[in-house]
Amino acid sequence: MPEAPGALYLRPLLIGTTANIGAAATPAADAALLVLASPVWDYFAGGMQPLRIVVDEINTRCAAHLGMVKTGGNYAAAMGPTLAARQKYRADQVLFCPGGQVQETGAANFMMFREGRLLTRGLDSSFLHGVTRDSLLAIARDSGVEVVERAFDVAEMLDWARTGEAALSGTAAVLAGVGTLIYRGADVPVGSGEIGPVTRDLRSKLVAIQRGEAPDRHGWLEKV
Ligand SMILES: Cc1ncc(COP(=O)(O)O)c(C=O)c1O
């Protein structure tokens, strides 16, 4: 186990082992369950930098009906657009918005903050229901932030970006601030372009609970 803020990332993996490679649409009757236990170190060891995110209105992160399932195959579809965005725009991630509807990035959920409100897509089968998202929503409610969970489109996201904050949530990064949205080839700053105060506040509150430095009001650590 690395010292905090490092962690031991546990990743279960279920692989079908039935020898029936010719029967493509037949589920396996046997499977091997593996658990990878991988040490991870501080994601932001070099200091937190505001992220650059490409807004992609065409591609999907994975097959729409598998979005909420963590299958290995779900990650391949995001790879091409993400590598292209890195090369072309020095972007960190791609925010998938198929049909103009804001979803999530390759491996993190997306949320915005403005005037005491948090906006994030409501749960549906098209994206992964991250535990970090769930925890941050609870902490936001506890902090008096109004949590709005619903579908929203790119136009509304860009409107929030003018004066608000945007961030990615996930186990590794906890909550990482977005400084720039790259929309149709142009850089659009989110708020001041720096990591915003609500993002920093919610992130530090979740990390404090994880480290036992703040009361665990929801009994999250007992479940571990
Ligand atoms: C596609 C995707 N979305 C969101 C997340 C964030 O989920 P969590 O907060 O459970 O780490 C992940 C994490 O791996 C992910 O792969």
Side-chain angles (χ1 to χ4, degrees), residues 67-149:
M68 64 178 286
V69 188
K70 223 170 178 142
T71 72
N74 281 13
Y75 292 88
M79 192 70 85
T82 307
L83 292 181
R86 275 199 197 139
Q87 199 174 34
K88 195 161 175 195
Y89 298 110
R90 290 183 300 105
D92 299 288
Q93 284 293 330
V94 171
L95 177 63
F96 290 94
C97 311
Q101 295 297 309
V102 177
Q103 244 170 29
E104 63 174 334
T105 64
N109 293 130
F110 181 76
M111 51 185 74
M112 302 194 82
F113 312 106
R114 186 173 73 174
E115 294 160 3
R117 296 203 297 163
L118 180 164
L119 176 64
T120 194
R121 188 179 174 90
L123 296 180
D124 61 30
S125 59
S126 71
F127 73 101
L128 198 96
H129 304 175
V131 67
T132 316
R133 170 191 180 282
D134 195 50
S135 310
L136 288 164
L137 263 49
I139 293 170
R141 286 191 188 98
D142 291 350
S143 311
V145 174
E146 183 191 343
V147 173
V148 182
E149 288 182 87

Side-chain angles (χ1 to χ4, degrees), residues 26-60:
T26 309
D30 309 291
L33 175 66
L34 317 174
V35 180
L36 302 181
S38 167
V40 287
W41 281 269
D42 187 358
Y43 198 77
F44 290 116
M48 273 206 286
Q49 297 295 331
L51 300 176
R52 290 172 57 77
I53 304 290
V54 166
V55 179
D56 185 331
E57 295 167 289
I58 295 164
N59 294 302
T60 49

